[in-house]
Structures are given as structure tokens and as C-alpha cells.
């Protein structure tokens, strides 16, 4: 399994500097998992959570550091995943 696409996705989410500090994010071990959860909020926009090998790394995603409400807002997650390319 090629770890480079997963390493690239982690670098895009948490930033190259943070990704390079963690050897497991720089070169993900075999059977590593990156999970995106998206849920609808009853009174607002959808929220996201990002899990890396069972650990919630949502607060590490660029633009997603708010504690309340929990998770990352839709605009920040789209920006982290797509940059300036637009829609998800």
C-alpha cells in the first residue's frame, strides 16, 4: 500500500509543518486510517470530525480549532480539503 496519498491528505489537513513533526503522519504505518465524519446540526450548518488512527485530530486541522460547538464547520473543512477549488 502506498502511504504517500495518505501523507499528502494529512499534510493538507494539519499543515506541512505539523505533519513533518510527526513521523507517523509523515509516513503513515500500514493499516492507518483517516476517517471523516459529517453530521447535520439541528440549527445550523453541518459539522465535521476528523479521526486519525482512532484519535480525534479535528482541532489540529487548519481553521478548525474552536471548541464550541464541537467539530469543524463546513466552510473550514472544505477549505482544508480543497483549498481554493470550490465545492466538495
Amino acid at each position: 500500500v502506498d502511504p504517500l496519498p495518505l501523507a499528502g491528505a494529512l499534510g493538507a489537513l494539519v499543515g506541512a509543518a505539523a505533519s513533518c513533526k510527526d513521523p507517523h503522519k509523515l509516513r503513515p504505518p500500514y493499516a492507518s486510517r483517516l476517517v471523516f465524519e459529517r453530521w447535520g446540526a439541528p440549527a445550523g450548518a453541518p459539522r465535521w470530525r476528523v479521526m486519525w488512527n482512532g484519535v480525534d485530530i479535528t482541532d489540529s486541522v487548519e481553521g478548525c480549532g474552536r471548541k464550541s460547538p464541537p467539530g469543524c464547520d463546513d466552510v473550514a473543512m472544505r477549505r482544508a480539503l480543497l483549498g481554493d477549488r470550490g465545492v466538495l
Side-chain angles (χ1 to χ4, degrees):
V1 175
D2 184 4
L4 291 179
L6 187 53
L10 287 165
L13 288 169
V14 300
S19 182
C20 289
K21 290 178 184 175
D22 183 344
H24 291 287
K25 289 180 182 157
L26 187 60
R27 186 175 179 126
Y30 184 73
S32 292
R33 296 174 188 225
L34 181 62
V35 177
F36 295 90
E37 295 178 352
R38 184 174 186 250
W39 66 92
R47 306 295 292 174
W48 291 77
R49 182 166 77 158
V50 182
M51 303 289 287
W52 164 246
N53 288 333
V55 176
D56 186 346
I57 64 166
T58 307
D59 289 344
S60 301
V61 175
E62 293 183 344
C64 298
R66 290 188 349 199
K67 293 285 184 191
S68 180
C72 185
D73 69 53
D74 211 39
V75 173
M77 184 57 71
R78 287 172 188 258
R79 189 174 298 122
L81 291 172
L82 300 171
D84 294 329
R85 291 185 296 193
V87 296
L88 183 60

